[in-house]
């Protein structure tokens, strides 16, 4: 009987191995399956749009909330026949929650031959801000937790470290993306993962587009992305390679050193979309350079460019639109040339980074050090204890207030910020925004002779009774964060079940507020917002496109 059970287990293992979806890896600038067949992404954006963040700086109409589409087995089971029927082999998922279970959806898609590209960012607190960028402990923690949640699945091609963070007016954000790629790759290597690390770029003028793409893959393999995505919407209606600008993209990226694909495509200026670009994308000369793309979007979605979406959902019923039927016809009719062969594909080389992208320094932010930042947070004399769960807006307002007050008292907020253009980063640049605000609060509190009222900040600050009555915030920062320029392999996240939705050290601080919270002497935030010399928080990039 024991022998029979062992034989049965071996048979099950053999069947599982045979049925496993082939791994997709990169050789040079192309993607290949395990048997050496060239792999093209026939993809679709797969994310139910959350509520749009109501903020004056949200020009991109980006969401403040999200629904994890890979944690809803009933919906995944409902959608699989439609996805496979359309010849779709890859889903791009823009936001996931690492605390949820994804087993059933991921296994369903794997069995159906469908891969995933997982964006590591989430709306608001879980993204690199394009206006005032950070690469900080809360983001690194969220990214590594998401990786840990998805590494057990065989159908993950890549993890994206950002979406449209860098624009023509925000080159200072580029070093933060490169630092995120560096640390994400180091973490993947430390857990013996060969998943690719990608970035999805906004389109723009050729000089901007190519300069950024080169910056993201310069220097060394360790600091470069593996997969460059371009959100590309120039082919509208029944166009052509030359009329659409695709010919320019072929020339521009002819010598690019890593794999490239369209991380979004599908111009909606002419509707219904007929997807004639698919024929061009999956044939030479486009296929000589590009490895397919992600049609946007399966679910209804709205961006600054209007409405998207190719199906409507009513309960368990999916109604395919004419656009989806058109995409299905195109995808099922193309395969893409199986060349060059993997054996003949040239290995990637990485150009020097000197003056690659104007406005972006080649000096990158350090690896965020959660242990050092937690050391500081625990020792500070005044700590930020937010009264609301979604602290992103109030955090920025309070930083404005705190830095303004600190400047009036002769202090400075230089240590909490960074400048991606000059390549200078403060000692606390890699700390969670909560730690940064606690540091500013503590500096101001100490400048006011540790008057408890100076720590109140309208009930959002709490005096730390365990703190030293004499040691300054500056001295504590130098002690806890003794090597602020260090790069190292990120450790595994502490604890289990952490969420990727902006979580991290300090984000769940539930200390009681100071007894003086809300008193007549506490700070009037509404009267002080906007007078600071530095604007710290803008709108974080997350999911949707600027077209």
């Amino acid at each position: 009987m024991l022998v029979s059970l062992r034989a049965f287990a071996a048979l099950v293992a053999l069947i599982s191995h045979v049925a496993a979806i082939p791994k997709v890896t990169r050789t040079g600038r192309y993607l290949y399956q395990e048997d050496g067949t060239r792999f093209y992404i026939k993809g679709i954006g797969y994310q139910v749009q959350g509520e749009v963040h109501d903020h004056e700086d949200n020009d991109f109409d980006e969401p403040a909330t999200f629904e994890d589409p890979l944690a809803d087995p009933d919906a995944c089971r409902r959608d699989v026949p439609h996805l496979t029927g359309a010849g779709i082999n890859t889903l791009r998922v823009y936001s996931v929650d690492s605390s949820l279970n994804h087993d059933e959806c991921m296994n369903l898609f794997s069995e159906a031959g469908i891969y995933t590209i997982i964006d590591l960012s989430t709306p608001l607190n879980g993204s690199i801000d394009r206006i005032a960028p950070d690469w900080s402990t809360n983001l690194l923690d969220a990214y590594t937790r998401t990786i840990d949640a998805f590494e057990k699945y065989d159908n993950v091609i890549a993890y994206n470290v950002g979406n449209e963070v860098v624009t023509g007016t925000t080159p200072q954000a580029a070093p933060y993306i490169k630092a995120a790629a560096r640390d994400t790759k180091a973490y993947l290597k430390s857990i013996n993962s060969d998943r690719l690390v990608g970035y999805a770029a906004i389109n723009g003028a050729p000089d901007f587009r190519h300069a950024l793409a080169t910056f993201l893959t310069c220097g060394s393999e360790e600091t470069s992305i593996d997969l460059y995505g371009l959100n590309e919407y120039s082919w509208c209606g029944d166009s052509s390679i030359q009329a659409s600008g695709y010919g320019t993209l072929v020339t521009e990226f002819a010598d690019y050193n890593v794999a490239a694909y369209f991380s979004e495509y599908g111009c909606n200026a002419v509707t219904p979309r007929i997807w004639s670009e698919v024929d061009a994308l999956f044939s030479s000369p486009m296929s000589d350079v590009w490895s397919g793309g992600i049609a946007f979007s399966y679910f209804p979605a709205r961006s600054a460019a209007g409405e998207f979406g190719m199906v409507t959902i009513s309960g368990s019923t999916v109604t395919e639109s004419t656009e989806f039927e058109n995409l299905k016809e195109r995808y099922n009719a193309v395969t893409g040339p199986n060349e060059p062969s993997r054996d003949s594909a040239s290995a990637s080389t990485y150009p020097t980074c000197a003056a690659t992208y104007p406005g972006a320094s080649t000096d990158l932010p350090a690896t965020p050090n959660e242990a050092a930042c937690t050391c500081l947070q625990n020792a500070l004399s005044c700590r930020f204890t937010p009264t609301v769960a979604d602290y992103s807006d109030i955090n920025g307002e309070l930083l404005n207030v705190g830095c303004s007050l600190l400047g009036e008292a002769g202090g400075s907020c230089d240590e909490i910020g960074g400048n991606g253009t000059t390549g200078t980063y403060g000692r606390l640049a890699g700390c969670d925004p909560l730690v940064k605000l606690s540091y500013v609060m503590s500096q101001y509190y100490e400048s006011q002779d540790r008057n408890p009222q100076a720590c109140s900040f309208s009930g959002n600050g709490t005096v730390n009774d365990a703190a030293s009555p004499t040691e300054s915030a500056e001295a504590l920062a130098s002690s806890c964060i003794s090597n602020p320029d260090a790069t190292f392999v990120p450790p595994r996240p502490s604890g289990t079940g952490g969420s990727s939705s902006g979580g991290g050290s300090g984000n769940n601080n539930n200390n009681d507020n100071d007894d003086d919270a809300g008193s007549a002497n506490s700070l009037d935030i509404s009267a002080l917002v906007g007078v600071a010399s530095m604007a710290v928080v803008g709108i974080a990039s997350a999911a949707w496109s600027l077209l």
Side-chain angles (χ1 to χ4, degrees):
M1 182 65 176
L2 180 60
V3 174
S4 298
L5 287 174
R6 285 177 175 171
F8 177 74
L11 178 61
V12 170
L14 177 61
I15 293 173
S16 298
H17 176 74
V18 171
I21 192 169
K23 180 184 287 188
V24 173
T25 56
R26 176 179 71 90
T27 299
R29 56 183 300 170
Y30 301 108
L31 302 176
Y32 293 94
Q33 292 184 319
E34 290 174 288
D35 64 358
T37 302
R38 189 164 164 201
F39 181 79
Y40 293 87
I41 295 168
K42 291 184 186 179
I44 197 165
Y46 190 74
Q47 186 89 43
V48 176
Q49 187 176 24
E51 297 179 5
V52 173
H53 184 52
D54 184 16
H55 195 282
E56 61 184 7
D57 291 332
N58 192 12
D59 296 332
F60 283 55
D61 281 349
E62 288 171 334
T65 62
F66 72 94
E67 298 178 25
D68 187 337
L70 300 180
D72 187 346
D74 290 338
C76 295
R77 209 164 16 250
R78 173 200 68 204
D79 294 336
V80 162
H82 299 276
L83 297 168
T84 55
I88 290 164
N89 66 13
T90 307
L91 305 178
R92 181 181 172 195
V93 182
Y94 292 80
S95 296
V96 294
D97 185 339
S98 65
S99 69
L100 302 180
N101 187 293
H102 305 93
D103 290 351
E104 193 164 349
C105 281
M106 290 299 287
N107 290 332
L108 280 168
F109 290 136
S110 176
E111 291 167 1
I114 297 175
Y115 298 88
T116 57
I117 295 174
I118 306 293
D119 283 42
L120 297 175
S121 58
T122 56
L124 297 180
N125 303 330
S127 305
I128 297 174
D129 190 296
R130 65 173 61 90
I131 298 174
D134 260 338
W135 176 233
S136 47
T137 56
N138 57 308
L139 295 178
L140 177 59
D141 180 76
Y143 281 25
T144 52
R145 287 183 187 276
T146 297
I147 289 169
D148 282 355
F150 281 86
E151 268 304 295
K152 59 183 174 180
Y153 306 121
D154 62 2
N155 54 335
V156 176
I157 295 176
Y159 299 106
N160 282 337
V161 295
N163 179 73
E164 298 189 347
V165 180
V166 187
T167 69
T169 60
T170 62
Q172 72 277 6
Y176 293 88
I177 293 297
K178 200 166 176 69
R182 175 200 64 205
D183 293 339
T184 300
K185 293 185 76 168
Y187 183 74
L188 287 167
K189 185 176 181 179
S190 75
I191 60 173
N192 299 314
S193 171
D194 57 3
R195 307 300 170 87
L196 306 179
V197 172
Y199 173 74
I202 192 171
N203 206 347
D207 55 347
F208 155 74
R209 183 173 57 212
H210 191 260
L212 174 61
T214 303
F215 179 82
L216 294 176
T217 58
C218 71
S220 68
E221 183 174 6
E222 289 73 23
T223 62
S224 297
I225 60 171
D226 303 302
L227 185 63
Y228 171 81
L230 180 64
N231 293 343
E232 214 295 323
Y233 289 85
S234 65
W235 185 302
C236 303
D238 191 13
S239 189
S240 67
I241 287 180
Q242 294 309 318
S244 66
Y246 275 26
T248 300
L249 292 173
V250 171
T251 302
E252 191 177 317
F253 286 85
D255 297 319
Y256 200 51
N257 56 333
V258 303
Y261 75 115
F262 288 175
S263 39
E264 289 176 8
Y265 72 97
C267 170
N268 65 348
V270 179
T271 57
R273 293 178 287 181
I274 60 174
W275 304 103
S276 57
E277 66 265 48
V278 169
D279 298 344
L281 186 56
F282 290 85
S283 61
S284 184
M286 287 296 292
S287 60
D288 299 339
V289 177
W290 301 89
S291 294
I294 302 290
F296 191 78
S297 152
Y298 182 77
F299 297 105
R302 179 173 63 86
S303 81
E307 298 291 336
F308 293 84
M310 287 180 269
V311 303
T312 54
I313 308 293
S314 178
S316 60
T317 301
V318 176
T319 302
E320 300 178 359
S321 69
T322 300
E323 288 189 349
F324 191 82
E325 293 286 347
N326 292 341
L327 182 67
K328 178 193 297 186
E329 182 179 354
R330 300 282 184 176
Y331 270 169
N332 282 322
V334 297
T335 55
N338 190 27
E339 55 186 25
S341 67
R342 184 168 56 187
D343 292 340
S344 64
S346 299
S348 295
T349 58
Y350 298 87
T352 59
C353 286
T356 302
Y357 179 35
S361 173
T362 56
D363 293 324
L364 308 182
T367 304
N369 190 330
E370 184 167 0
C373 294
T374 300
C375 163
L376 178 60
Q377 173 74 353
N378 290 339
L380 287 169
S381 58
C382 175
R383 295 190 294 198
F384 176 41
T385 52
T387 58
V388 293
D390 180 7
Y391 62 84
S392 57
D393 287 341
I394 191 174
N395 187 81
E397 293 174 356
L398 287 173
L399 275 170
N400 282 338
V401 170
C403 288
S404 179
L405 293 171
L406 190 59
E408 292 173 2
S412 168
C413 278
D414 289 348
E415 290 285 44
I416 69 168
N419 188 321
T421 296
T422 62
T424 55
Y425 309 99
R427 186 175 294 274
L428 278 72
C431 290
D432 186 302
L434 297 180
V435 180
K436 293 178 181 180
L437 182 50
S438 293
Y439 180 73
V440 171
M441 286 178 163
S442 294
Q443 286 183 294
Y444 179 68
Y445 167 64
E446 291 160 12
S447 75
Q448 303 301 303
D449 297 324
R450 300 182 186 251
N451 182 338
Q453 295 299 324
C455 179
S456 177
F457 285 78
S458 286
N460 289 285
T462 302
V463 173
N464 179 12
D465 294 332
S468 166
T470 58
E471 199 165 12
S472 70
E474 292 90 337
L476 291 169
S478 295
S479 175
C480 287
I481 310 175
S482 58
N483 189 4
D485 300 322
T487 57
F488 53 89
V489 177
R492 297 296 289 265
S494 60
T496 58
S499 171
S500 67
S501 54
S505 65
N507 279 9
N508 296 311
N509 191 334
N510 293 316
N511 291 342
D512 292 335
N513 288 329
D514 181 85
D515 290 340
D516 295 319
S519 70
N521 293 323
S522 63
L523 298 179
D524 182 355
I525 299 301
S526 61
L528 292 169
V529 170
V531 299
S533 60
M534 60 180 294
V536 181
V537 173
I539 296 298
S541 67
W544 312 105
S545 302
L546 176 68
L547 307 180

